[in-house]
């Protein structure tokens, strides 16, 4: 009897709706309502404030929800621990990654992973916006740079380098900058930010730069730099091949910012899943080869 109504209560609390909870549990709204009413009667406590527009937790309901959520998470973890006895990953993986890095690096590796583990299904959504993993039902996110504080688990997969570079033609016409202050004399090709990151005297420095061109697309910025329109700062996966071929020249290397992290981020309740553990390990071992 103690377990009756717990799942319904948690679903209603998290969705703030009896109707949404019933849809996600694939049962009738009337059944959800009956279970909640029975639970409140058994506890002799009002768990929700109900209006025609909104369902919200009472103070007692919030306290009870925290404990119930922990109990259900514990049950999920117990089931996953048993599932981990499987020798290979299987099931659906929903992941998200930045657009360009996802296209060039992550998705090809995911394809290789699926060739090895054919019982895995993958649904990938590429976006430069940081989606809510829990709300969107994501198992995994690939994120670049400095992570914001969150309740998510994170594993470092590798690093990326941001380069300042320009074409030989541009440098012949406008000269080579040897200090950060000289950037003010050059046309800086801007992305979505008004500043570039550097390291000066072992300290991180964000320097505001200006220019006549701004794109929210890395490939457009690379093309502009190759055509001699200005100086650009971009991650290695945009410019590495052009640096190696000599069509772009790196600048201000002594001021280059420290390498940024490439991270696998996932909710706590996904950390024991074989499919996620296998995929994260595969990405970790293959990113430096991609």
């Amino acid at each position: 009897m103690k377990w009756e109504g717990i799942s319904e209560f948690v679903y209603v609390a998290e969705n703030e709706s009896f109707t949404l909870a019933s849809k996600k549990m694939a049962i009738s709204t009337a059944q959800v309502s009956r279970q909640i009413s029975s639970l409140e009667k058994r506890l002799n406590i009002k768990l929700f404030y109900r209006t025609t527009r909104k369902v919200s937790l009472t103070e007692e309901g919030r306290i009870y929800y925290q404990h119930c959520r922990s109990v259900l998470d514990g049950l999920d973890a117990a089931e996953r621990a048993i599932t981990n006895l499987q020798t290979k990953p299987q099931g659906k993986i929903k992941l998200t990654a930045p657009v360009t890095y996802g296209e060039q690096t992550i998705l090809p590796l995911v394809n290789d992973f699926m060739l090895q583990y054919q019982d895995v299904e993958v649904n990938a959504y590429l976006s430069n916006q940081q989606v809510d993993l829990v709300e969107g039902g994501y198992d995994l996110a690939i994120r670049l740079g400095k992570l914001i504080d969150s309740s998510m688990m994170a594993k470092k997969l590798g690093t990326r380098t941001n380069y300042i570079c320009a074409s030989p033609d541009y440098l012949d016409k406008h000269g080579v900058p040897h200090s950060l202050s000289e950037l003010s004399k050059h046309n800086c090709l801007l992305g979505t930010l008004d500043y570039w990151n550097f390291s000066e005297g072992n300290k991180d420095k964000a320097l505001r730069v200006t220019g006549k061109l701004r794109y929210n697309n890395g490939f457009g910025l690379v093309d502009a730099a190759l055509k001699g329109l200005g100086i650009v700062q971009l991650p290695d996966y945009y410019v590495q091949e052009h640096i190696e071929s000599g069509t772009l020249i790196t600048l201000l290397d002594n001021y280059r910012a420290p390498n940024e992290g490439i991270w696998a981020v996932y909710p706590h309740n996904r950390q024991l899943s074989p499919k996620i553990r296998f995929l994260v390990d595969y990405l970790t071992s293959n990113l430096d080869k991609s």
Side-chain angles (χ1 to χ4, degrees), residues 224-285:
L226 289 169
K227 292 176 178 175
L229 290 177
I231 298 175
V232 73
Q233 183 180 64
L234 282 171
D236 45 23
Y237 47 87
Y238 283 107
V239 297
Q240 189 70 54
E241 63 176 303
H242 303 297
I243 292 171
E244 292 174 358
S245 68
T247 52
L248 288 177
I249 308 297
T250 63
L251 307 169
L252 302 169
D253 291 342
N254 291 337
Y255 298 96
R256 186 178 300 150
N259 288 349
E260 297 178 334
I262 301 168
W263 304 90
V265 178
Y266 43 93
H268 280 268
N269 62 357
R270 301 292 196 273
Q271 62 180 313
L272 295 178
S273 169
K275 60 187 179 183
I276 304 305
R277 177 165 46 83
F278 272 69
L279 177 55
V280 169
D281 289 346
Y282 185 85
L283 293 173
T284 303
S285 61

Coordinates of all heavy atoms in Angstrom, one line a residue, residues 224-285:
A224 N 35.9 34.0 -45.6 CA 36.3 35.4 -45.6 C 37.7 35.6 -45.3 O 38.4 36.4 -45.9 CB 35.4 36.2 -44.6
A225 N 38.3 34.8 -44.3 CA 39.7 34.9 -44.0 C 40.5 34.4 -45.2 O 41.6 35.0 -45.5 CB 40.0 34.0 -42.8
L226 N 40.1 33.3 -45.8 CA 40.9 32.8 -47.0 C 40.9 33.8 -48.1 O 41.9 33.8 -48.9 CB 40.2 31.5 -47.4 CG 40.4 30.2 -46.5 CD1 39.5 29.1 -47.0 CD2 41.9 29.8 -46.5
K227 N 39.9 34.6 -48.2 CA 39.8 35.6 -49.3 C 40.5 36.9 -48.9 O 40.3 37.9 -49.7 CB 38.4 35.7 -49.8 CG 37.8 34.5 -50.4 CD 36.4 34.6 -50.8 CE 35.9 33.3 -51.5 NZ 34.4 33.3 -51.8
G228 N 41.1 36.9 -47.8 CA 41.9 38.1 -47.4 C 41.1 39.3 -46.9 O 41.6 40.4 -46.9
L229 N 39.9 39.0 -46.3 CA 39.1 40.1 -45.8 C 39.5 40.5 -44.4 O 39.1 41.6 -43.9 CB 37.6 39.7 -45.8 CG 37.0 39.6 -47.2 CD1 35.6 39.1 -47.1 CD2 37.0 40.9 -47.9
G230 N 40.2 39.7 -43.7 CA 40.6 40.1 -42.3 C 41.2 38.9 -41.5 O 41.5 37.9 -42.0
I231 N 41.3 39.2 -40.2 CA 41.8 38.2 -39.2 C 40.7 37.6 -38.5 O 39.7 38.2 -38.2 CB 42.7 38.9 -38.2 CG1 43.9 39.6 -38.9 CG2 43.2 38.0 -37.1 CD1 44.8 40.4 -38.0
V232 N 40.8 36.3 -38.2 CA 39.7 35.5 -37.6 C 40.2 34.7 -36.4 O 41.4 34.3 -36.4 CB 39.0 34.6 -38.6 CG1 39.9 33.4 -39.0 CG2 37.7 34.2 -38.2
Q233 N 39.4 34.5 -35.4 CA 39.6 33.5 -34.4 C 38.6 32.4 -34.4 O 37.4 32.6 -34.3 CB 39.6 34.1 -33.0 CG 40.0 33.2 -31.9 CD 39.9 33.8 -30.5 OE1 38.8 34.2 -30.0 NE2 41.1 33.8 -29.8
L234 N 39.1 31.2 -34.6 CA 38.2 30.0 -34.8 C 38.8 28.8 -34.2 O 40.0 28.6 -34.1 CB 37.8 29.8 -36.3 CG 36.8 30.7 -36.9 CD1 36.8 30.5 -38.4 CD2 35.4 30.5 -36.3
P235 N 37.9 27.8 -33.8 CA 38.5 26.5 -33.3 C 39.2 25.7 -34.4 O 39.0 25.9 -35.6 CB 37.2 25.8 -32.9 CG 36.2 26.8 -32.7 CD 36.5 27.9 -33.7
D236 N 40.0 24.8 -34.0 CA 40.9 24.0 -34.9 C 40.1 23.3 -36.0 O 40.6 23.2 -37.1 CB 41.7 23.1 -34.1 CG 41.0 22.3 -33.0 OD1 39.7 22.2 -33.1 OD2 41.6 21.8 -32.1
Y237 N 38.9 22.8 -35.7 CA 38.2 22.0 -36.7 C 37.7 22.8 -37.9 O 37.3 22.3 -38.9 CB 37.0 21.2 -36.0 CG 36.1 22.0 -35.1 CD1 35.0 22.7 -35.6 CD2 36.3 22.0 -33.8 CE1 34.2 23.4 -34.8 CE2 35.5 22.7 -32.9 CZ 34.4 23.3 -33.4 OH 33.6 24.0 -32.6
Y238 N 37.7 24.1 -37.7 CA 37.4 25.0 -38.9 C 38.7 25.3 -39.7 O 38.6 25.4 -40.9 CB 36.9 26.3 -38.4 CG 35.4 26.3 -38.0 CD1 35.1 26.4 -36.7 CD2 34.4 26.2 -38.9 CE1 33.7 26.4 -36.3 CE2 33.1 26.2 -38.6 CZ 32.8 26.3 -37.2 OH 31.4 26.3 -36.8
V239 N 39.8 25.5 -39.0 CA 41.0 26.0 -39.7 C 42.2 25.1 -39.8 O 43.2 25.5 -40.5 CB 41.4 27.4 -39.0 CG1 40.3 28.4 -39.1 CG2 41.8 27.1 -37.6
Q240 N 42.2 24.0 -39.1 CA 43.4 23.2 -39.1 C 44.0 22.8 -40.5 O 45.2 22.9 -40.7 CB 43.1 21.9 -38.3 CG 44.4 21.1 -38.0 CD 45.3 21.7 -36.9 OE1 44.8 22.1 -35.9 NE2 46.5 21.9 -37.3
E241 N 43.1 22.4 -41.4 CA 43.6 22.0 -42.7 C 44.2 23.1 -43.5 O 45.2 23.0 -44.2 CB 42.5 21.3 -43.5 CG 41.3 22.2 -43.8 CD 40.3 21.5 -44.7 OE1 40.7 21.1 -45.8 OE2 39.1 21.4 -44.3
H242 N 43.6 24.3 -43.3 CA 44.1 25.5 -44.0 C 45.5 26.0 -43.4 O 46.3 26.5 -44.1 CB 43.1 26.6 -43.9 CG 41.8 26.3 -44.5 ND1 41.6 25.9 -45.8 CD2 40.6 26.1 -43.9 CE1 40.3 25.6 -46.0 NE2 39.7 25.8 -44.8
I243 N 45.6 25.8 -42.1 CA 46.9 26.1 -41.4 C 48.0 25.2 -41.9 O 49.1 25.6 -42.3 CB 46.8 26.1 -39.9 CG1 45.9 27.2 -39.4 CG2 48.2 26.1 -39.2 CD1 45.5 27.1 -37.9
E244 N 47.7 23.9 -42.0 CA 48.6 22.9 -42.5 C 49.0 23.1 -43.9 O 50.2 22.9 -44.3 CB 48.1 21.5 -42.3 CG 47.9 21.1 -40.8 CD 47.2 19.8 -40.6 OE1 46.8 19.2 -41.6 OE2 47.1 19.4 -39.4
S245 N 48.1 23.6 -44.8 CA 48.4 23.8 -46.2 C 49.0 25.2 -46.4 O 49.5 25.4 -47.5 CB 47.1 23.7 -47.0 OG 46.2 24.8 -46.7
G246 N 49.0 26.1 -45.4 CA 49.6 27.4 -45.6 C 48.7 28.4 -46.1 O 49.2 29.6 -46.3
T247 N 47.5 28.1 -46.4 CA 46.5 29.1 -46.9 C 46.0 30.0 -45.8 O 45.5 31.1 -46.0 CB 45.3 28.5 -47.6 OG1 44.7 27.5 -46.7 CG2 45.8 27.8 -48.9
L248 N 46.2 29.6 -44.5 CA 46.0 30.5 -43.4 C 47.3 30.5 -42.5 O 47.9 29.4 -42.3 CB 44.8 30.1 -42.5 CG 43.4 30.4 -43.2 CD1 42.3 29.9 -42.2 CD2 43.2 31.9 -43.5
I249 N 47.7 31.6 -41.9 CA 48.8 31.7 -41.1 C 48.4 32.1 -39.7 O 47.6 33.0 -39.4 CB 49.8 32.8 -41.6 CG1 50.1 32.7 -43.1 CG2 51.1 32.9 -40.7 CD1 50.9 31.4 -43.4
T250 N 48.9 31.3 -38.7 CA 48.5 31.6 -37.3 C 49.3 32.8 -36.8 O 50.4 33.1 -37.2 CB 48.9 30.4 -36.4 OG1 50.3 30.2 -36.4 CG2 48.1 29.2 -36.8
L251 N 48.6 33.6 -35.9 CA 49.1 34.8 -35.4 C 49.1 34.9 -33.9 O 48.2 34.2 -33.3 CB 48.3 36.0 -36.0 CG 48.1 36.1 -37.5 CD1 47.1 37.1 -37.8 CD2 49.5 36.4 -38.1
L252 N 49.9 35.7 -33.3 CA 49.8 35.9 -31.8 C 49.8 34.6 -31.0 O 49.1 34.5 -30.1 CB 48.6 36.8 -31.5 CG 48.5 38.1 -32.2 CD1 47.1 38.7 -32.0 CD2 49.6 39.1 -31.7
D253 N 50.7 33.7 -31.5 CA 50.7 32.4 -30.8 C 51.1 32.5 -29.3 O 50.6 31.6 -28.5 CB 51.7 31.4 -31.5 CG 51.2 31.1 -32.9 OD1 50.0 31.2 -33.2 OD2 52.0 30.6 -33.8
N254 N 51.9 33.5 -29.0 CA 52.3 33.6 -27.6 C 51.1 34.0 -26.7 O 51.2 33.9 -25.5 CB 53.4 34.7 -27.4 CG 54.7 34.2 -28.0 OD1 54.9 33.0 -28.2 ND2 55.6 35.1 -28.4
Y255 N 50.0 34.5 -27.3 CA 48.9 35.0 -26.6 C 47.7 34.0 -26.7 O 46.6 34.3 -26.3 CB 48.4 36.3 -27.0 CG 49.4 37.4 -26.9 CD1 50.3 37.8 -27.9 CD2 49.5 38.1 -25.7 CE1 51.2 38.8 -27.8 CE2 50.5 39.1 -25.5 CZ 51.3 39.5 -26.5 OH 52.3 40.5 -26.4
R256 N 48.0 32.8 -27.3 CA 46.9 31.9 -27.5 C 46.2 31.4 -26.2 O 46.9 31.1 -25.2 CB 47.4 30.7 -28.3 CG 46.3 29.7 -28.7 CD 46.8 28.5 -29.5 NE 47.5 29.0 -30.7 CZ 48.6 28.4 -31.2 NH1 49.1 27.3 -30.7 NH2 49.1 28.9 -32.3
A257 N 44.9 31.4 -26.2 CA 44.2 31.0 -24.9 C 44.4 29.5 -24.7 O 44.6 28.8 -25.6 CB 42.7 31.3 -25.1
P258 N 44.3 29.1 -23.4 CA 44.4 27.7 -23.1 C 43.4 26.9 -23.9 O 42.3 27.4 -24.2 CB 44.2 27.6 -21.6 CG 44.5 29.0 -21.1 CD 44.1 29.9 -22.2
N259 N 43.7 25.6 -24.2 CA 42.8 24.7 -24.9 C 41.5 24.6 -24.1 O 41.5 24.6 -22.9 CB 43.4 23.4 -25.1 CG 44.4 23.4 -26.2 OD1 44.6 24.4 -26.9 ND2 45.2 22.3 -26.3
E260 N 40.4 24.5 -24.8 CA 39.1 24.4 -24.2 C 38.6 22.9 -24.2 O 39.0 22.2 -25.0 CB 38.0 25.2 -24.9 CG 38.3 26.7 -24.9 CD 37.3 27.5 -25.7 OE1 36.7 26.9 -26.7 OE2 37.1 28.7 -25.4
G261 N 37.8 22.6 -23.2 CA 37.4 21.2 -23.0 C 36.3 20.8 -24.0 O 35.5 21.7 -24.4
I262 N 36.3 19.6 -24.4 CA 35.2 18.9 -25.1 C 34.6 17.9 -24.2 O 35.3 17.0 -23.7 CB 35.7 18.2 -26.4 CG1 36.4 19.2 -27.3 CG2 34.5 17.5 -27.1 CD1 37.1 18.6 -28.5
W263 N 33.3 18.1 -23.9 CA 32.7 17.4 -22.7 C 31.5 16.5 -23.2 O 30.7 16.9 -24.1 CB 32.2 18.3 -21.7 CG 33.2 19.3 -21.2 CD1 33.5 20.5 -21.7 CD2 34.1 19.1 -20.1 NE1 34.5 21.1 -20.9 CE2 34.9 20.2 -19.9 CE3 34.3 18.0 -19.1 CZ2 35.9 20.4 -18.9 CZ3 35.2 18.2 -18.1 CH2 36.0 19.3 -18.0
A264 N 31.4 15.4 -22.5 CA 30.2 14.6 -22.6 C 29.4 14.9 -21.3 O 30.0 14.7 -20.2 CB 30.5 13.1 -22.7
V265 N 28.2 15.4 -21.4 CA 27.4 15.8 -20.3 C 26.1 14.9 -20.3 O 25.5 14.7 -21.3 CB 27.0 17.3 -20.3 CG1 26.1 17.7 -19.2 CG2 28.3 18.1 -20.4
Y266 N 25.7 14.4 -19.1 CA 24.6 13.5 -19.0 C 24.0 13.6 -17.6 O 24.7 13.9 -16.6 CB 24.9 12.1 -19.4 CG 26.2 11.6 -18.8 CD1 26.2 10.9 -17.6 CD2 27.4 11.8 -19.5 CE1 27.4 10.4 -17.1 CE2 28.6 11.3 -18.9 CZ 28.6 10.6 -17.7 OH 29.8 10.2 -17.2
P267 N 22.7 13.3 -17.5 CA 22.0 13.3 -16.2 C 22.6 12.2 -15.3 O 23.1 11.2 -15.8 CB 20.5 13.1 -16.6 CG 20.4 13.5 -18.0 CD 21.7 13.1 -18.6
H268 N 22.5 12.4 -14.0 CA 23.0 11.4 -13.1 C 22.4 10.0 -13.3 O 23.1 9.0 -13.2 CB 22.6 11.9 -11.6 CG 23.6 12.9 -11.1 ND1 24.7 12.6 -10.4 CD2 23.6 14.2 -11.2 CE1 25.4 13.6 -10.0 NE2 24.7 14.7 -10.5
N269 N 21.1 10.0 -13.7 CA 20.5 8.7 -13.8 C 20.8 7.9 -15.1 O 20.3 6.9 -15.4 CB 19.0 8.8 -13.7 CG 18.4 9.6 -14.8 OD1 19.1 10.2 -15.6 ND2 17.0 9.7 -14.7
R270 N 21.7 8.5 -15.9 CA 22.2 7.8 -17.1 C 23.6 7.2 -17.0 O 24.0 6.5 -17.8 CB 22.2 8.8 -18.3 CG 20.9 9.5 -18.6 CD 19.8 8.5 -19.2 NE 18.7 9.2 -19.8 CZ 17.7 9.6 -19.2 NH1 17.6 9.4 -17.9 NH2 16.7 10.2 -19.8
Q271 N 24.3 7.5 -15.9 CA 25.7 7.2 -15.8 C 25.9 5.7 -15.7 O 27.0 5.3 -16.1 CB 26.3 7.9 -14.5 CG 25.7 7.4 -13.2 CD 26.3 8.1 -12.0 OE1 27.5 8.2 -11.9 NE2 25.5 8.6 -11.1
L272 N 25.0 4.9 -15.3 CA 25.2 3.5 -15.2 C 24.7 2.7 -16.5 O 24.9 1.5 -16.6 CB 24.5 2.9 -14.0 CG 25.0 3.4 -12.6 CD1 24.1 2.8 -11.5 CD2 26.4 3.0 -12.4
S273 N 24.1 3.4 -17.4 CA 23.6 2.8 -18.6 C 24.7 2.3 -19.5 O 25.6 3.1 -19.9 CB 22.7 3.8 -19.3 OG 22.3 3.3 -20.6
P274 N 24.7 1.0 -19.9 CA 25.8 0.5 -20.7 C 25.9 1.3 -22.1 O 26.9 1.5 -22.5 CB 25.4 -1.0 -21.0 CG 24.5 -1.3 -19.8 CD 23.7 0.0 -19.5
K275 N 24.7 1.6 -22.7 CA 24.7 2.2 -24.0 C 25.4 3.6 -23.9 O 26.2 4.0 -24.8 CB 23.3 2.4 -24.5 CG 22.4 3.2 -23.7 CD 21.0 3.2 -24.2 CE 20.0 4.0 -23.3 NZ 18.6 4.0 -23.7
I276 N 25.2 4.4 -22.8 CA 25.8 5.7 -22.6 C 27.3 5.5 -22.3 O 28.2 6.2 -22.8 CB 25.1 6.5 -21.6 CG1 23.6 6.6 -21.9 CG2 25.8 7.9 -21.4 CD1 23.4 7.2 -23.3
R277 N 27.6 4.6 -21.4 CA 29.0 4.3 -21.0 C 29.8 3.9 -22.1 O 31.0 4.4 -22.3 CB 29.0 3.3 -19.8 CG 30.4 2.9 -19.4 CD 30.4 2.2 -18.0 NE 29.3 1.2 -18.0 CZ 29.5 -0.1 -18.5 NH1 30.7 -0.4 -19.1 NH2 28.6 -1.0 -18.4
F278 N 29.3 3.0 -22.9 CA 30.1 2.5 -24.1 C 30.3 3.6 -25.1 O 31.4 3.7 -25.7 CB 29.3 1.3 -24.8 CG 29.6 0.0 -24.2 CD1 29.2 -0.4 -22.9 CD2 30.3 -1.0 -25.0 CE1 29.5 -1.6 -22.4 CE2 30.6 -2.2 -24.4 CZ 30.2 -2.5 -23.1
L279 N 29.2 4.4 -25.4 CA 29.4 5.5 -26.4 C 30.4 6.6 -25.9 O 31.2 7.0 -26.7 CB 28.0 6.1 -26.7 CG 28.0 7.3 -27.6 CD1 28.7 6.9 -29.0 CD2 26.6 7.9 -27.9
V280 N 30.3 7.0 -24.6 CA 31.2 8.0 -24.1 C 32.7 7.4 -24.2 O 33.6 8.2 -24.6 CB 30.8 8.4 -22.7 CG1 31.9 9.2 -22.0 CG2 29.5 9.1 -22.7
D281 N 32.9 6.2 -23.8 CA 34.2 5.6 -23.9 C 34.7 5.5 -25.3 O 35.9 5.8 -25.6 CB 34.2 4.2 -23.3 CG 34.0 4.2 -21.8 OD1 34.2 5.3 -21.2 OD2 33.8 3.1 -21.2
Y282 N 33.8 5.2 -26.2 CA 34.2 5.2 -27.7 C 34.6 6.5 -28.2 O 35.6 6.7 -28.9 CB 33.0 4.6 -28.5 CG 33.3 4.4 -29.9 CD1 33.9 3.2 -30.4 CD2 33.1 5.4 -30.9 CE1 34.2 3.0 -31.7 CE2 33.4 5.2 -32.2 CZ 34.0 4.0 -32.6 OH 34.3 3.8 -33.9
L283 N 33.8 7.6 -27.8 CA 34.1 8.9 -28.2 C 35.5 9.4 -27.6 O 36.3 10.0 -28.3 CB 33.1 9.9 -27.8 CG 31.7 9.8 -28.5 CD1 30.7 10.7 -27.9 CD2 31.8 10.0 -30.0
T284 N 35.7 9.0 -26.4 CA 36.9 9.4 -25.7 C 38.2 8.8 -26.4 O 39.2 9.5 -26.6 CB 36.9 9.0 -24.2 OG1 35.8 9.5 -23.6 CG2 38.2 9.4 -23.5
S285 N 38.1 7.6 -26.8 CA 39.2 6.9 -27.4 C 39.4 7.2 -28.8 O 40.5 7.0 -29.4 CB 39.1 5.3 -27.2 OG 37.9 4.9 -27.9

